[in-house]
């Protein structure tokens, strides 16, 4: 285990260009950078919003069922 980790670190040290991020992340154009950050934010918040929306829907549905006495 330790040998494998040491070899992996040695390989990364020998090839530093392999650890660099893609060029899009560091684009010099401000418009592209802002679009990249906005897309990153959207793709981060979208799943959280979907889970929260499902939780709100489930809570409302449960309250409606409780008020109806479980009929329906």
């Amino acid at each position: 285990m330790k040998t494998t980790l040491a070899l992996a670190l040695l390989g990364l040290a020998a090839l530093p260009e392999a650890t660099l991020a893609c060029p899009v992340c560091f684009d010099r154009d401000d418009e592209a950078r802002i679009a990249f950050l906005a897309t990153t934010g959207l793709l981060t918040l979208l799943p959280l919003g979907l889970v929260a929306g499902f939780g709100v829907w489930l809570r409302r549905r449960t309250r409606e069922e409780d008020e109806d006495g479980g009929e329906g």
Side-chain angles (χ1 to χ4, degrees):
M1 177 74 175
K2 290 181 182 181
T3 305
T4 306
L5 180 60
L7 288 174
L9 290 175
L10 183 62
L12 288 176
L15 299 170
E17 65 274 358
T19 60
L20 296 177
C22 67
V24 175
C25 299
F26 301 107
D27 193 1
R28 293 181 184 184
D29 183 19
D30 283 341
E31 187 177 339
R33 187 180 308 128
I34 291 170
F36 177 76
L37 290 174
T39 304
T40 301
L42 174 70
L43 293 176
T44 300
L45 295 175
L46 183 64
L48 298 173
L50 289 172
V51 170
F54 178 73
V56 169
W57 174 81
L58 188 61
R59 186 174 180 180
R60 286 183 185 168
R61 178 87 172 145
T62 303
R63 284 184 179 177
E64 289 174 1
E65 289 291 324
D66 287 344
E67 289 174 1
D68 293 343
E71 298 176 12

